[in-house]
Amino acid sequence: MINTIIFDLGAVLIDWNPRYMYRTIFSDETEMERFLSEVTTSDWNEEQDGGRSLLEGTEFLVNKHPEHEDNIRAFYSRWDEMLGDAFHDVVEILHQLKQHDKYKIYALTNWSAETFPVAYERFDFMKWFDGIVVSGAEKMRKPTPEFYHILLDRYHVKAEESLFIDDNYRNILAAEKIGILCIHFTTAEELSDTLKQMQIL
């Protein structure tokens, strides 16, 4: 019996993309993509999600790539410009689930503790959650098993009674290993159909 639903945030409920900001800096799309894949990489960004300070992360990268200093510093000084809109069709699903008194709704997100407040204040639906666990604040992130257990232990949730929704299959596999039922998010339509088939929605 599922009584708890856990959402990822980025790419599920919130559109975040560094290209929104960097397209105002780079006139050449290929040059921008090279910068994002070779300099401000996903692995580098995940270190901030895991608790490294924005200052430390920035200085590390500037020292490694001094020729890109200005563009590196723009990553966090203009981070709010990377934050797109909410995915309103998924927010509507969240709203429908929230109407069911039998479900507790939580968020488990890989996000820097320093940038998360910007998103929290921008999107009203963030206040709908019964609790949010942010990786940067905990100094660990998905897919580390201990990170999932923080949420389970803090809110007295049983893994076998919870459902986790995430776009990253790596994170889905980690959750399944500790007994959490999962939905690999692809589209709002597929999510809605799956939840209806499970008689959750």
Side-chain angles (χ1 to χ4, degrees):
M1 179 67 70
I2 299 298
N3 57 31
T4 301
I5 302 173
I6 306 165
F7 278 85
D8 175 39
L9 294 176
V12 175
L13 283 157
I14 297 171
D15 182 15
W16 176 85
N17 193 326
R19 291 165 184 81
Y20 295 147
M21 186 275 286
Y22 278 113
R23 284 193 178 112
T24 71
I25 293 178
F26 289 92
S27 57
D28 186 305
E29 192 86 1
T30 302
E31 185 182 352
M32 179 191 71
E33 291 298 334
R34 185 180 302 115
F35 174 79
L36 292 173
S37 65
E38 297 178 3
V39 182
T40 54
T41 65
S42 295
D43 287 345
W44 169 76
N45 184 52
E46 283 191 342
E47 290 299 316
Q48 284 69 261
D49 289 349
R52 182 167 66 180
S53 74
L54 304 189
L55 177 60
E56 184 181 355
T58 299
E59 295 308 319
F60 168 83
L61 213 56
V62 167
N63 289 334
K64 188 176 180 181
H65 301 282
E67 71 279 14
H68 294 294
E69 179 173 2
D70 289 346
N71 291 340
I72 291 168
R73 294 195 183 281
F75 194 97
Y76 288 118
S77 66
R78 297 177 57 184
W79 183 89
D80 61 321
E81 297 175 47
M82 302 179 186
L83 201 56
D85 202 357
F87 293 119
H88 296 289
D89 45 3
V90 185
V91 173
E92 177 56 30
I93 293 171
L94 172 64
H95 182 259
Q96 292 176 40
L97 292 169
K98 189 65 179 173
Q99 305 312 302
H100 293 278
D101 291 338
K102 61 181 178 179
Y103 300 126
K104 288 288 189 178
I105 312 289
Y106 299 101
L108 184 72
T109 183
N110 283 359
W111 209 304
S112 162
E114 294 174 78
T115 58
F116 182 74
V118 177
Y120 187 83
E121 291 305 319
R122 182 174 298 187
F123 301 109
D124 289 341
F125 70 82
M126 293 287 225
K127 286 74 175 178
W128 300 352
F129 292 105
D130 295 294
I132 302 176
V133 177
V134 179
S135 62
E138 307 299 337
K139 301 194 183 304
M140 67 175 70
R141 56 181 171 79
K142 296 174 285 187
T144 307
E146 290 81 6
F147 185 54
Y148 299 83
H149 281 290
I150 288 175
L151 187 147
L152 299 179
D153 296 342
R154 182 171 297 165
Y155 298 109
H156 309 290
V157 174
K158 294 180 180 179
E160 64 273 15
E161 295 177 353
S162 63
L163 172 67
F164 177 53
I165 301 163
D166 197 303
D167 67 296
N168 190 320
Y169 196 59
R170 172 192 71 176
N171 300 337
I172 291 291
L173 291 176
E176 288 178 337
K177 284 181 179 178
I178 61 174
I180 300 174
L181 184 65
C182 295
I183 295 176
H184 181 214
F185 177 82
T186 52
T187 67
E189 183 178 7
E190 287 192 13
L191 175 60
S192 179
D193 288 346
T194 302
L195 290 171
K196 287 173 183 175
Q197 290 168 13
M198 297 172 70
Q199 298 184 325
I200 290 175
L201 194 61

